[in-house]
Amino acid sequence: MTITIVGHGYVGLVTACVFADFGNQVNVIGHTQEKINRLNSGDPIIYEPGLKELLQKNLSAKRINFTLDFEKPISESDIVFITVGTPPKINGEADLSAVITVAHEIAKSLKKGFTVVSCKSTVPLGTNKKIEEIINKNKSAGTEFAVASCPEFLREGTALKDTLLPDRIIIGSESDKAKEVLINLHKPIGGKRVITNLASAELIKYASNSILATKISFANLISFYCEKTGGDVETVLDGVGLDHRTGRNFLFPGLGYGGSCFPKDVKALLAIGNNLGVDTSLLKAVEEINKQAKENMIEKIIKFSPGKNIAVWGLSFKPDTDDIREAPALYIINLLIKKGFGIKAFDPVAMENVKKSFKGNINFVNDQYEAVKDSDALFIATEWNEFKQIDLNKVKSLLKSPVIFDGRNIYEPITMKELGFKYYSVGRI
Ligand code: UGA
């Protein structure tokens, strides 16, 4: 099949490489010449394990190409995926301007015959109908199309694995023909299928991200109880998670959820609920606890740090990504700087992105040990693997005082005590 993907963020680029790898011809449309050149030369722009190799393999096989042009790729395609960003507006609603512009462009260029237009961007309920209206109004005679919602569930850091072996593929459309095209396209991919209508598919995406965010906030809420009672949150959640109805996944407390998805999608579902007159108090509490998780760590650092020079390990919103959008580390660093703290930071891949966009003054260093050298305390903000079995005796000898604030519970309190650290983690005394 010939496929066009509009947008080359995490979803667009990963989807493009995977479908190209199955032998499809894939065009990817972007809007910056510099990025298009980099992508065509084999540089994926974003950091995602395994992506560079897959991109380069499919560029060499001439199955994927990147362009600024809409007309030619769309006029040759059986399927057009929309994967552009839908960032939150100030009121929490998703900003759909990029999706709407793309719908107009698609309308102008559809081929004669049938095209499926499928939105993989996370969009509020009813957006696919809006896309359909725009294309219907602006398309040329003789072109036929149907819209479908095909939400994406990949996680940054494991995006390729998640795309190839997902739990489920959701296909929502009012058109049987579109459903059939998408069922065929996804044949090489694992996972169960849910074939449904547009509204259900759109809601499945928001509900999926919101329930995971709710689990994370629930884990953080239990950590607050543990800190007040002497319970150990990891043991409590092990006990809870062994019930197969609940499971332990996404019940890891810490600094709250960040990234480009959960914060935005919980906000958007809240805004949608408010517009529909649905009670949104559960989602409001999820957001509030998420903020509280970060505030608690800031309070601990202010109260227990022996000095104001803090080493920070990890800046990305989670490990294995250079994505710093809504990263808890940056929220906390920003507030600490305002309180007069000096920050020396190390992250294995995200420092360049922080240098480009973070306003405050951070001293970036090249490795973990350099960060702790002569710092008053260490704050672990992201649980990169390389921090987990580090030489803690060396860390202790380099720090001015043996104090660690661990926002991700990567060490055992008992071990840290034996090593002579003052160790402040989340929900564990
Ligand atoms: C999330 C979903 O997991 C994907 O299924 C979805 O496709 C994606 O959003 C999206 O909508 O595009 P992602 O944001 O890449 O994926 O990352 P997650 O692994 O879900 O983590 C999100 C945040 O929650 C991170 O800040 C992470 O540190 C935090 N988290 C996660 C916790 O604090 N505790 C946990 O137990 C799990």
Side-chain angles (χ1 to χ4, degrees):
M1 278 191 238
T2 302
I3 300 168
T4 289
I5 297 191
V6 190
H8 49 65
Y10 286 89
V11 172
L13 190 54
V14 170
T15 309
C17 289
V18 165
F19 284 133
D21 207 49
F22 291 143
N24 296 291
Q25 199 57 46
V26 181
N27 311 299
V28 182
I29 302 175
H31 64 268
T32 320
Q33 186 65 57
E34 186 252 341
K35 287 188 178 168
I36 293 298
N37 293 345
R38 280 171 66 188
L39 288 159
N40 274 324
S41 73
D43 170 4
I45 304 176
I46 49 173
Y47 174 81
E48 181 63 41
L51 187 58
K52 192 171 185 177
E53 293 75 11
L54 199 64
L55 171 65
Q56 293 179 351
K57 177 183 167 202
N58 285 286
L59 279 167
S60 302
K62 300 205 176 336
R63 283 192 296 262
I64 191 166
N65 85 88
F66 298 86
T67 176
L68 294 175
D69 175 39
F70 273 84
E71 199 183 330
K72 187 167 179 292
I74 290 174
S75 68
E76 291 169 352
S77 289
D78 308 296
I79 306 174
V80 180
F81 283 111
I82 302 175
T83 71
V84 295
T86 52
K89 296 195 280 192
I90 288 167
N91 65 1
E93 284 176 15
D95 180 351
L96 292 178
S97 47
V99 171
I100 287 168
T101 308
V102 168
H104 278 99
E105 291 291 344
I106 293 172
K108 280 193 252 166
S109 310
L110 285 177
K111 69 170 159 54
K112 303 276 178 230
F114 183 67
T115 310
V116 175
V117 178
S118 175
C119 195
K120 271 191 178 286
S121 303
T122 304
V123 287
L125 316 185
T127 305
N128 281 286
K129 286 273 178 213
K130 214 178 265 172
I131 295 171
E132 184 175 46
E133 272 167 36
I134 293 170
I135 300 179
N136 251 330
K137 257 192 216 147
N138 298 286
K139 74 184 186 74
S140 341
T143 59
E144 201 198 321
F145 78 102
V147 296
S149 166
C150 212
E152 184 51 63
F153 301 100
L154 63 82
R155 284 164 299 170
E156 292 180 21
T158 52
L160 288 177
K161 184 179 137 283
D162 291 344
T163 306
L164 289 165
L165 291 170
D167 290 331
R168 74 293 206 196
I169 301 283
I170 310 293
I171 296 172
S173 181
E174 315 305 329
S175 152
D176 288 340
K177 207 166 161 187
K179 285 177 181 167
E180 200 187 310
V181 171
L182 288 169
I183 289 169
N184 281 335
L185 176 71
H186 287 90
K187 275 218 167 108
I189 296 181
K192 298 223 162 101
R193 269 56 178 158
V194 176
I195 311 298
T196 181
N197 63 13
L198 277 176
S200 303
E202 288 173 344
L203 201 45
I204 285 169
K205 173 67 191 185
Y206 278 115
S208 299
N209 276 359
S210 297
I211 198 164
L212 293 173
T214 305
K215 282 188 86 173
I216 297 167
S217 279
F218 187 81
N220 283 316
L221 176 68
I222 297 303
S223 81
F224 306 158
Y225 280 88
C226 286
E227 288 187 1
K228 302 240 181 251
T229 58
D232 177 319
V233 74
E234 298 296 343
T235 311
V236 172
L237 292 171
D238 281 344
V240 173
L242 281 169
D243 184 331
H244 72 274
R245 294 170 300 177
T246 313
R248 183 64 150 97
N249 286 335
F250 281 76
L251 275 184
F252 289 90
L255 303 174
Y257 55 80
S260 64
C261 305
F262 289 174
K264 163 177 80 74
D265 292 348
V266 172
K267 261 192 187 61
L269 194 58
L270 248 163
I272 294 166
N274 288 336
N275 287 340
L276 295 171
V278 172
D279 184 343
T280 52
S281 43
L282 174 65
L283 296 173
K284 278 187 199 129
V286 168
E287 279 201 318
E288 188 44 47
I289 294 166
N290 199 49
K291 189 158 172 250
Q292 196 58 54
K294 290 183 267 291
E295 302 293 341
N296 280 4
M297 182 49 77
I298 295 168
E299 267 172 40
K300 278 181 201 157
I301 296 174
I302 291 174
K303 197 163 165 195
F304 298 115
S305 176
K308 290 210 155 180
N309 289 316
I310 303 280
V312 178
W313 285 357
L315 298 169
S316 54
F317 82 97
K318 66 172 198 177
D320 292 320
T321 179
D322 62 351
D323 195 338
I324 55 166
R325 286 174 286 178
E326 303 267 347
L330 297 180
Y331 178 93
I332 293 171
I333 289 173
N334 191 31
L335 267 139
L336 289 176
I337 290 174
K338 283 192 180 134
K339 298 270 178 203
F341 282 80
I343 305 293
K344 204 173 357 154
F346 169 73
D347 185 285
V349 300
M351 291 197 293
E352 283 312 308
N353 282 344
V354 180
K355 282 179 199 168
K356 277 186 227 149
S357 64
F358 187 75
K359 298 273 183 298
N361 190 14
I362 297 177
N363 178 8
F364 296 97
V365 292
N366 290 327
D367 73 63
Q368 299 94 308
Y369 296 114
E370 213 183 322
V372 288
K373 188 166 182 298
D374 295 328
S375 291
D376 293 310
L378 164 65
F379 164 44
I380 301 169
T382 313
E383 68 278 31
W384 283 91
N385 270 343
E386 43 264 77
F387 305 152
K388 290 180 181 164
Q389 291 188 331
I390 199 154
D391 181 348
L392 285 164
N393 282 315
K394 188 169 170 188
V395 171
K396 191 176 161 207
S397 70
L398 290 168
L399 276 169
K400 270 196 193 158
S401 334
V403 178
I404 297 186
F405 299 94
D406 179 359
R408 303 292 181 171
N409 288 356
I410 64 176
Y411 307 127
E412 285 305 319
I414 182 109
T415 317
M416 298 307 278
K417 202 172 168 193
E418 280 164 13
L419 288 170
F421 280 100
K422 283 202 167 135
Y423 178 63
Y424 302 93
S425 55
V426 177
R428 303 182 301 174
I429 304 287

CSV table of all heavy atoms in Angstrom, one decimal, residues 11 122 152-157 162 168 205 209 212 216 219-220 248-262 265 317-319 326 328 383 408, ligand 1:
chain,number,residue,atom,x,y,z
A,11,VAL,N,4.9,9.5,17.3
A,11,VAL,CA,3.9,8.7,16.7
A,11,VAL,C,4.1,8.6,15.2
A,11,VAL,O,4.2,7.5,14.6
A,11,VAL,CB,2.5,9.2,17.0
A,11,VAL,CG1,1.4,8.4,16.2
A,11,VAL,CG2,2.2,9.1,18.5
A,122,THR,N,-4.2,12.5,19.2
A,122,THR,CA,-5.2,12.4,20.2
A,122,THR,C,-6.1,13.6,20.1
A,122,THR,O,-5.7,14.7,20.3
A,122,THR,CB,-4.6,12.3,21.6
A,122,THR,OG1,-3.7,11.2,21.6
A,122,THR,CG2,-5.6,12.1,22.7
A,152,GLU,N,-3.2,5.7,19.0
A,152,GLU,CA,-1.9,5.1,19.2
A,152,GLU,C,-1.6,4.9,20.7
A,152,GLU,O,-2.0,5.8,21.4
A,152,GLU,CB,-0.9,6.0,18.5
A,152,GLU,CG,0.5,5.6,18.5
A,152,GLU,CD,0.7,4.2,18.0
A,152,GLU,OE1,0.3,4.0,16.8
A,152,GLU,OE2,1.1,3.3,18.7
A,153,PHE,N,-1.0,3.8,21.0
A,153,PHE,CA,-0.7,3.6,22.5
A,153,PHE,C,0.7,3.4,22.8
A,153,PHE,O,1.1,2.9,23.8
A,153,PHE,CB,-1.5,2.4,23.0
A,153,PHE,CG,-3.0,2.5,22.8
A,153,PHE,CD1,-3.7,2.0,21.7
A,153,PHE,CD2,-3.7,3.3,23.7
A,153,PHE,CE1,-5.0,2.2,21.5
A,153,PHE,CE2,-5.1,3.5,23.5
A,153,PHE,CZ,-5.8,3.0,22.4
A,154,LEU,N,1.6,3.8,21.8
A,154,LEU,CA,3.0,3.6,22.1
A,154,LEU,C,3.5,4.5,23.2
A,154,LEU,O,3.0,5.6,23.4
A,154,LEU,CB,3.8,3.8,20.8
A,154,LEU,CG,3.9,5.1,20.1
A,154,LEU,CD1,4.8,6.1,20.7
A,154,LEU,CD2,4.2,4.9,18.6
A,155,ARG,N,4.6,4.0,23.9
A,155,ARG,CA,5.2,4.8,24.9
A,155,ARG,C,6.6,5.2,24.4
A,155,ARG,O,7.3,4.4,23.7
A,155,ARG,CB,5.4,4.0,26.2
A,155,ARG,CG,4.2,3.8,27.0
A,155,ARG,CD,4.4,2.6,28.0
A,155,ARG,NE,4.7,1.4,27.3
A,155,ARG,CZ,5.1,0.3,27.8
A,155,ARG,NH1,5.4,0.2,29.1
A,155,ARG,NH2,5.4,-0.8,27.1
A,156,GLU,N,7.0,6.4,24.8
A,156,GLU,CA,8.3,6.9,24.4
A,156,GLU,C,9.3,6.0,25.1
A,156,GLU,O,9.1,5.6,26.3
A,156,GLU,CB,8.5,8.3,24.8
A,156,GLU,CG,7.7,9.2,23.9
A,156,GLU,CD,7.8,10.7,24.2
A,156,GLU,OE1,8.9,11.1,24.8
A,156,GLU,OE2,6.9,11.5,23.9
A,157,GLY,N,10.4,5.6,24.5
A,157,GLY,CA,11.4,4.8,25.1
A,157,GLY,C,11.2,3.3,24.7
A,157,GLY,O,12.2,2.5,24.6
A,162,ASP,N,6.2,-1.4,21.3
A,162,ASP,CA,4.8,-1.1,21.6
A,162,ASP,C,4.0,-1.1,20.2
A,162,ASP,O,2.8,-1.5,20.2
A,162,ASP,CB,4.6,0.2,22.3
A,162,ASP,CG,5.1,0.2,23.7
A,162,ASP,OD1,5.3,-0.9,24.2
A,162,ASP,OD2,5.2,1.3,24.3
A,168,ARG,N,-3.5,-4.0,21.9
A,168,ARG,CA,-4.7,-3.9,21.0
A,168,ARG,C,-4.5,-2.9,19.9
A,168,ARG,O,-3.8,-1.9,20.0
A,168,ARG,CB,-5.9,-3.6,21.8
A,168,ARG,CG,-6.1,-2.1,22.3
A,168,ARG,CD,-5.1,-1.7,23.3
A,168,ARG,NE,-5.6,-0.6,24.2
A,168,ARG,CZ,-4.8,0.1,25.0
A,168,ARG,NH1,-3.5,-0.1,25.0
A,168,ARG,NH2,-5.4,1.0,25.8
A,205,LYS,N,-9.0,6.3,23.6
A,205,LYS,CA,-7.7,6.9,23.8
A,205,LYS,C,-7.6,7.7,25.1
A,205,LYS,O,-6.7,7.6,25.9
A,205,LYS,CB,-7.3,7.7,22.5
A,205,LYS,CG,-6.0,8.5,22.7
A,205,LYS,CD,-4.8,7.6,22.7
A,205,LYS,CE,-3.6,8.4,23.1
A,205,LYS,NZ,-2.4,7.6,23.1
A,209,ASN,N,-5.4,6.8,28.6
A,209,ASN,CA,-4.4,7.6,29.3
A,209,ASN,C,-4.9,8.1,30.6
A,209,ASN,O,-4.1,8.1,31.6
A,209,ASN,CB,-4.0,8.8,28.4
A,209,ASN,CG,-3.0,8.3,27.3
A,209,ASN,OD1,-2.5,7.2,27.3
A,209,ASN,ND2,-2.5,9.3,26.5
A,212,LEU,N,-4.6,5.4,33.4
A,212,LEU,CA,-3.2,5.2,33.8
A,212,LEU,C,-2.7,6.3,34.7
A,212,LEU,O,-2.1,6.1,35.7
A,212,LEU,CB,-2.3,5.0,32.5
A,212,LEU,CG,-2.5,3.7,31.7
A,212,LEU,CD1,-1.7,3.7,30.4
A,212,LEU,CD2,-2.2,2.5,32.5
A,216,ILE,N,-1.4,6.2,38.6
A,216,ILE,CA,-0.2,6.9,39.2
A,216,ILE,C,-0.6,7.8,40.3
A,216,ILE,O,0.1,7.8,41.4
A,216,ILE,CB,0.5,7.6,38.0
A,216,ILE,CG1,1.0,6.7,36.9
A,216,ILE,CG2,1.7,8.4,38.6
A,216,ILE,CD1,1.4,7.3,35.6
A,219,ALA,N,-1.3,5.8,43.4
A,219,ALA,CA,0.0,5.3,44.0
A,219,ALA,C,0.6,6.4,44.8
A,219,ALA,O,1.1,6.2,45.9
A,219,ALA,CB,0.9,4.8,42.9
A,220,ASN,N,0.6,7.6,44.2
A,220,ASN,CA,1.2,8.8,45.0
A,220,ASN,C,0.3,9.1,46.2
A,220,ASN,O,0.9,9.4,47.3
A,220,ASN,CB,1.3,10.0,44.1
A,220,ASN,CG,2.5,9.8,43.2
A,220,ASN,OD1,3.6,9.4,43.6
A,220,ASN,ND2,2.3,10.1,41.9
A,248,ARG,N,0.2,-4.5,39.1
A,248,ARG,CA,1.2,-3.5,39.7
A,248,ARG,C,1.6,-2.5,38.7
A,248,ARG,O,2.2,-1.5,39.0
A,248,ARG,CB,2.4,-4.3,40.2
A,248,ARG,CG,3.5,-3.5,40.9
A,248,ARG,CD,3.0,-2.9,42.2
A,248,ARG,NE,4.1,-2.7,43.2
A,248,ARG,CZ,4.7,-1.6,43.4
A,248,ARG,NH1,4.5,-0.5,42.6
A,248,ARG,NH2,5.7,-1.5,44.3
A,249,ASN,N,1.3,-2.7,37.4
A,249,ASN,CA,1.7,-1.7,36.4
A,249,ASN,C,1.1,-0.4,36.6
A,249,ASN,O,-0.1,-0.2,37.0
A,249,ASN,CB,1.2,-2.2,35.0
A,249,ASN,CG,2.0,-3.3,34.4
A,249,ASN,OD1,3.1,-3.5,34.8
A,249,ASN,ND2,1.4,-4.1,33.6
A,250,PHE,N,1.9,0.7,36.4
A,250,PHE,CA,1.5,2.1,36.6
A,250,PHE,C,1.0,2.4,38.0
A,250,PHE,O,0.2,3.3,38.2
A,250,PHE,CB,0.5,2.5,35.5
A,250,PHE,CG,1.1,2.8,34.2
A,250,PHE,CD1,1.6,1.7,33.4
A,250,PHE,CD2,1.4,4.1,33.8
A,250,PHE,CE1,2.3,2.0,32.3
A,250,PHE,CE2,2.1,4.3,32.7
A,250,PHE,CZ,2.5,3.3,31.9
A,251,LEU,N,1.5,1.6,39.0
A,251,LEU,CA,1.3,1.9,40.4
A,251,LEU,C,2.6,2.2,41.0
A,251,LEU,O,2.9,1.9,42.2
A,251,LEU,CB,0.6,0.7,41.1
A,251,LEU,CG,-0.9,0.6,41.0
A,251,LEU,CD1,-1.4,-0.6,41.8
A,251,LEU,CD2,-1.6,1.9,41.4
A,252,PHE,N,3.5,2.9,40.3
A,252,PHE,CA,4.8,3.3,40.9
A,252,PHE,C,4.7,4.8,41.3
A,252,PHE,O,4.5,5.7,40.4
A,252,PHE,CB,5.9,3.1,39.9
A,252,PHE,CG,6.1,1.6,39.8
A,252,PHE,CD1,5.5,0.8,38.8
A,252,PHE,CD2,7.0,0.9,40.7
A,252,PHE,CE1,5.6,-0.5,38.7
A,252,PHE,CE2,7.1,-0.5,40.6
A,252,PHE,CZ,6.5,-1.2,39.6
A,253,PRO,N,4.8,5.1,42.6
A,253,PRO,CA,4.7,6.5,43.0
A,253,PRO,C,6.1,7.2,42.7
A,253,PRO,O,7.0,6.5,42.3
A,253,PRO,CB,4.6,6.3,44.5
A,253,PRO,CG,5.3,5.1,44.9
A,253,PRO,CD,5.1,4.2,43.7
A,254,GLY,N,6.1,8.5,42.8
A,254,GLY,CA,7.3,9.2,42.5
A,254,GLY,C,7.1,10.7,42.5
A,254,GLY,O,6.6,11.3,43.5
A,255,LEU,N,7.4,11.2,41.3
A,255,LEU,CA,7.2,12.7,41.2
A,255,LEU,C,6.0,13.0,40.3
A,255,LEU,O,5.9,14.2,39.9
A,255,LEU,CB,8.5,13.3,40.5
A,255,LEU,CG,9.8,13.0,41.3
A,255,LEU,CD1,11.0,13.4,40.5
A,255,LEU,CD2,9.8,13.6,42.7
A,256,GLY,N,5.1,12.1,40.1
A,256,GLY,CA,4.0,12.3,39.3
A,256,GLY,C,4.2,12.1,37.8
A,256,GLY,O,5.4,12.0,37.4
A,257,TYR,N,3.2,12.0,37.0
A,257,TYR,CA,3.3,11.8,35.6
A,257,TYR,C,3.7,13.1,34.9
A,257,TYR,O,3.2,14.1,35.2
A,257,TYR,CB,2.1,11.2,35.0
A,257,TYR,CG,0.8,12.0,35.2
A,257,TYR,CD1,0.5,13.1,34.5
A,257,TYR,CD2,-0.1,11.6,36.2
A,257,TYR,CE1,-0.7,13.8,34.7
A,257,TYR,CE2,-1.3,12.3,36.5
A,257,TYR,CZ,-1.6,13.4,35.7
A,257,TYR,OH,-2.7,14.1,35.9
A,258,GLY,N,4.6,12.9,33.9
A,258,GLY,CA,4.9,14.1,33.0
A,258,GLY,C,4.8,13.6,31.6
A,258,GLY,O,4.0,12.7,31.3
A,259,GLY,N,5.5,14.3,30.7
A,259,GLY,CA,5.4,13.9,29.3
A,259,GLY,C,4.4,14.7,28.5
A,259,GLY,O,3.7,15.6,29.0
A,260,SER,N,4.3,14.4,27.2
A,260,SER,CA,3.5,15.1,26.3
A,260,SER,C,2.1,14.6,26.3
A,260,SER,O,1.2,15.1,25.5
A,260,SER,CB,4.1,15.1,24.9
A,260,SER,OG,4.1,13.8,24.4
A,261,CYS,N,1.8,13.5,27.0
A,261,CYS,CA,0.5,12.8,26.8
A,261,CYS,C,-0.4,12.9,28.1
A,261,CYS,O,-1.5,13.5,28.0
A,261,CYS,CB,0.7,11.4,26.4
A,261,CYS,SG,1.8,11.2,25.0
A,262,PHE,N,0.0,12.3,29.2
A,262,PHE,CA,-0.9,12.2,30.3
A,262,PHE,C,-1.3,13.6,30.8
A,262,PHE,O,-2.6,13.8,31.0
A,262,PHE,CB,-0.3,11.5,31.5
A,262,PHE,CG,-0.1,10.0,31.3
A,262,PHE,CD1,0.5,9.2,32.2
A,262,PHE,CD2,-0.7,9.4,30.2
A,262,PHE,CE1,0.6,7.8,32.0
A,262,PHE,CE2,-0.6,8.0,30.0
A,262,PHE,CZ,0.1,7.2,30.9
A,265,ASP,N,-3.7,15.0,28.1
A,265,ASP,CA,-5.0,14.2,27.9
A,265,ASP,C,-5.9,14.2,29.1
A,265,ASP,O,-7.1,14.3,28.9
A,265,ASP,CB,-4.6,12.8,27.5
A,265,ASP,CG,-4.0,12.8,26.1
A,265,ASP,OD1,-4.0,13.8,25.4
A,265,ASP,OD2,-3.4,11.7,25.7
A,317,PHE,N,11.4,13.4,31.1
A,317,PHE,CA,10.2,13.1,31.9
A,317,PHE,C,10.1,11.6,32.4
A,317,PHE,O,9.4,11.3,33.3
A,317,PHE,CB,8.9,13.5,31.2
A,317,PHE,CG,8.4,12.5,30.2
A,317,PHE,CD1,7.4,11.6,30.5
A,317,PHE,CD2,8.9,12.5,28.9
A,317,PHE,CE1,6.9,10.7,29.6
A,317,PHE,CE2,8.4,11.6,27.9
A,317,PHE,CZ,7.4,10.7,28.3
A,318,LYS,N,10.9,10.8,31.7
A,318,LYS,CA,11.1,9.4,32.1
A,318,LYS,C,12.4,8.9,31.4
A,318,LYS,O,12.9,9.6,30.6
A,318,LYS,CB,9.9,8.6,31.7
A,318,LYS,CG,9.7,8.4,30.2
A,318,LYS,CD,8.5,7.4,30.0
A,318,LYS,CE,8.6,6.9,28.6
A,318,LYS,NZ,7.6,6.0,28.3
A,319,PRO,N,12.9,7.7,31.8
A,319,PRO,CA,14.1,7.2,31.2
A,319,PRO,C,13.9,6.9,29.7
A,319,PRO,O,12.8,6.7,29.2
A,319,PRO,CB,14.4,6.0,32.0
A,319,PRO,CG,13.5,5.9,33.1
A,319,PRO,CD,12.3,6.8,32.8
A,326,GLU,N,6.8,18.7,30.1
A,326,GLU,CA,6.2,18.5,31.4
A,326,GLU,C,7.0,17.6,32.3
A,326,GLU,O,6.5,16.7,33.1
A,326,GLU,CB,4.8,17.9,31.2
A,326,GLU,CG,3.9,18.7,30.4
A,326,GLU,CD,3.0,19.7,31.2
A,326,GLU,OE1,2.9,19.6,32.4
A,326,GLU,OE2,2.4,20.6,30.6
A,328,PRO,N,8.8,16.3,35.4
A,328,PRO,CA,8.8,16.7,36.8
A,328,PRO,C,10.1,17.3,37.3
A,328,PRO,O,10.2,18.3,38.0
A,328,PRO,CB,8.5,15.4,37.5
A,328,PRO,CG,7.8,14.6,36.5
A,328,PRO,CD,8.3,15.0,35.2
A,383,GLU,N,14.6,7.8,36.6
A,383,GLU,CA,15.2,6.5,37.0
A,383,GLU,C,15.9,5.9,35.8
A,383,GLU,O,15.6,4.8,35.4
A,383,GLU,CB,14.2,5.6,37.6
A,383,GLU,CG,13.1,5.1,36.7
A,383,GLU,CD,11.9,6.0,36.4
A,383,GLU,OE1,12.1,7.3,36.4
A,383,GLU,OE2,10.8,5.5,36.2
A,408,ARG,N,12.3,8.6,42.7
A,408,ARG,CA,11.9,7.4,42.0
A,408,ARG,C,12.1,6.1,42.7
A,408,ARG,O,11.9,5.0,42.1
A,408,ARG,CB,12.6,7.3,40.6
A,408,ARG,CG,12.4,8.6,39.8
A,408,ARG,CD,11.0,8.8,39.2
A,408,ARG,NE,10.9,10.0,38.4
A,408,ARG,CZ,9.8,10.3,37.7
A,408,ARG,NH1,8.8,9.5,37.8
A,408,ARG,NH2,9.8,11.4,37.0
B,1,UGA,C1,1.8,7.3,27.5
B,1,UGA,C2,1.0,6.0,27.5
B,1,UGA,O1,1.6,5.0,28.3
B,1,UGA,C3,1.0,5.4,26.0
B,1,UGA,O2,0.2,4.2,26.0
B,1,UGA,C4,0.4,6.4,25.1
B,1,UGA,O3,0.4,6.0,23.8
B,1,UGA,C5,1.2,7.7,25.2
B,1,UGA,O4,1.2,8.2,26.6
B,1,UGA,C6,0.5,8.8,24.3
B,1,UGA,O5,-0.7,9.1,24.5
B,1,UGA,O6,1.1,9.1,23.3
B,1,UGA,P1,4.4,8.0,27.6
B,1,UGA,O7,3.8,9.4,27.9
B,1,UGA,O8,5.4,7.9,26.5
B,1,UGA,O9,3.1,7.1,27.2
B,1,UGA,O10,5.0,7.5,28.9
B,1,UGA,P2,4.6,6.5,30.1
B,1,UGA,O11,5.5,5.4,30.2
B,1,UGA,O12,3.1,6.2,30.1
B,1,UGA,O13,4.8,7.5,31.4
B,1,UGA,C7,4.2,8.7,31.5
B,1,UGA,C8,4.6,9.4,32.8
B,1,UGA,O14,4.1,8.7,34.0
B,1,UGA,C9,6.1,9.5,33.1
B,1,UGA,O15,6.4,10.7,33.6
B,1,UGA,C10,6.4,8.4,34.1
B,1,UGA,O16,7.5,8.6,34.9
B,1,UGA,C11,5.1,8.4,34.9
B,1,UGA,N1,4.8,7.1,35.6
B,1,UGA,C12,4.5,6.0,34.9
B,1,UGA,C13,4.8,7.1,37.0
B,1,UGA,O17,5.0,8.1,37.7
B,1,UGA,N2,4.4,5.9,37.6
B,1,UGA,C14,4.2,4.8,36.9
B,1,UGA,O18,3.8,3.8,37.6
B,1,UGA,C15,4.2,4.8,35.5
